[in-house]
Amino acid sequence: MENLEDLKNEIIAKINTCTELKQLDDVRVAVLGKKGKITEMMKGLGALPQEEKIAFGKGLNILKNDIEAALEKQKKILEEKALNEKLKNETIDVTLPVRPETQGRIHPVSKIYEEVAAIFGQMGFDIAEGPDIEDQFHNFNALNMPVNHPARQMQDTFYLNNDPTKQFDMETAYVIRTHTSGVQIRTMEKQQPPIRIIAPGRTYRSDYDATHTPMFHQLEGLVIDKNITLAHLKGCLYDFMKAFFELDELPVRYRPSYFPFTEPSAEMDIGCLKTKTELKIGAGTDWMEVLGCGMVHPNVLRAGGIDPDEYQGFAFGLGIDRLAMLKYGIPDLRTFFESDVRWLKHYGFTPLDFSSMTGGLSNNGGLAR
Ligand code: DAH
């Protein structure tokens, strides 16, 4: 009778040295398969005398169970090893940039739209829109700029000839809007206070140099409620500027100014450092004008169908392109509209870097530069 204990040790040693599942299966077949060593021994039991048969049979069963357990254990180890190797070989570094490089960039103006929407969205503002082709009521009259008001001449307006069969009539002609302020009126016509909107959009004036293009972009803001004060205007715009320039501290000042649709009116400046080669926002002793603002003129509220004795509000207007130039150091406005893909590749933004107050506005790391 073979020494079962030796046999067991021998087989288990073999099992434990297996490094591949295939190799392990070969051992299993050689021991427990149809013609395997233990199987053959079991077949041989019948030829043994009764007593030996019982004792040896018992021993063989125990051996078989031990071998099966050892096989199972080694199988688990090898399977886990195989899985780990597979995972290691198939690892993907999700932080690597996409290859091939994604095509297409978000234009800085679109990026600023996203950024201001994220900031004002968090402050509870809605986004309002108005038409590019506007009537003079909304573009001028309702904004406290009646016919012959000198402020109309300040804006180099494009007038449209509504009906080419008739003599052009300056007073009834449509204009392509010279500012987004008309959206203030359109919003008041549609909605009772409380009102809290921003209105980004294209605006047009007959002007062309490094800082002026015939089409440009503005952002209008309007807040109307009971008890709105100049303090709300100051706080709101201060918070906006800090968020927009992504600075914890930003010196600001308000200078008295004049706009027909606000009283009092002001212009907001932010502190900066200007040198010949550099503009640094938030540092230094220079000032840069960034927007116009004021308390909504009672005539404007009336034109929008709102009782100025019950409600008041503030408004502001700023140039989106100008903000883009300041924030992203773009020197010439005309390049914004030249559709040069090299320029867009340089100054544009990757499409998947969304602007958000929590995830980051400009995602500087994602700048396509
Ligand atoms: N509409 C003005 C412009 O185009 C900008 C502006 C100034 C808008 C003051 C406002 C405001 O709402 O309150 O120059």
Side-chain angles (χ1 to χ4, degrees), residues 161-170 172:
N161 196 357
N162 307 352
D163 185 350
T165 61
K166 288 199 191 119
Q167 171 101 36
F168 174 70
D169 178 3
M170 181 90 161
T172 57

Side-chain angles (χ1 to χ4, degrees), residues 128-189:
E129 280 179 317
D132 285 22
I133 295 176
E134 190 55 287
D135 55 54
Q136 293 190 44
F137 174 77
H138 290 95
N139 197 76
F140 292 129
N141 303 45
L143 289 163
N144 202 26
M145 280 190 270
V147 181
N148 297 328
H149 191 287
R152 286 201 183 198
Q153 267 73 57
M154 274 165 34
Q155 309 195 340
D156 304 287
T157 312
F158 286 116
Y159 289 88
L160 295 178
N161 196 357
N162 307 352
D163 185 350
T165 61
K166 288 199 191 119
Q167 171 101 36
F168 174 70
D169 178 3
M170 181 90 161
E171 274 185 33
T172 57
Y174 282 90
V175 300
I176 34 181
R177 63 178 174 190
T178 57
H179 52 187
T180 42
S181 301
V183 185
Q184 291 189 29
I185 306 299
R186 291 193 172 272
T187 305
M188 290 184 230
E189 285 169 343

